[in-house]
Amino acid sequence: MATTQTPPARPDLADITTRQQRVWSSGNFAMVASRIVLTSELLADARTRAGAEGLDVEFRVGDAQDLPVDDDSFDAVLSAFGAMFAPDHERTVHEIVRAARPGGTVALASWRPDGFIGDMFRVITARVPGPPGVPPPLLWGTEPHLADLFGGAIADARSTERICTFRFSAAEEFAEFFRRWYGPTHVAFESLDPAERRNLAADLTDLARRWDRYRGDQDAVALPATYLETVITLR
């Protein structure tokens, strides 16, 4: 007897986008970003810094999947660890290409799935799974995925693997810092009961010790986080 399989339901990307915005607002990415040298809260920090630097910059709050700009608005579109977290990858790329002028430049920095941040997300999702049906954000850190997403819009593309090293006084400080300030980690901890929070903190502490460049020779840890720097020239 033939059976009919019901296709899996498509994820509600609008709802997931709203939840993602709450996730990133729950921490303070400015604290995390300071370790690497935006939600409306981050733009407030950016406006303050731009004013201090005497820069004439216009900041707008928007969705990477629905940019509040006209077609062909910019010579360059940049994203540092941002666009990769929008749940609808295809729509995000459509908006990036739409916002850029023909022949314009797209520059992306995206965490690599095989690096420290990739391992950190695997540790977190082992205890707090992500939304079903949504492609992993770390795919943006792979050249084949970007080639598939941008497709015929690419005139030229160059990718370079680079390393950002996070430094903390101890592995435990890393776990506490990301628990407090990094939105996804903060929300993961808040969703767990006290015992599971302790387990996740222990998992993150062990992760830092495994990746530590100092190899345990001192209390401090140096964590090499690889990312893909991609520069695309559009047709």
Side-chain angles (χ1 to χ4, degrees), residues 16-33 36 38-42 80-87 111 117 120-121 124 137-138 178 180-187:
I16 292 171
T17 298
T18 300
R19 281 187 281 157
Q20 291 280 64
Q21 290 169 341
R22 288 198 296 266
V23 165
W24 289 102
S25 297
S26 68
N28 185 342
F29 191 72
M31 294 294 295
V32 181
I36 301 174
L38 276 170
T39 70
S40 58
E41 291 82 0
L42 297 181
F81 315 112
M84 64 181 293
F85 290 103
W111 297 119
I117 297 296
M120 185 184 76
F121 273 96
I124 295 170
L138 295 168
F178 270 74
R180 183 176 182 183
W181 300 117
Y182 194 58
T185 317
H186 177 81
V187 169

Side-chain angles (χ1 to χ4, degrees), residues 56 66 81 91 96 123 134 155-156 189 205 207 213:
D56 182 14
D66 187 18
F81 315 112
R91 181 66 189 174
I96 290 173
V123 166
V134 176
D156 180 67
F189 272 98
T205 300
L207 174 73
R213 276 184 167 173

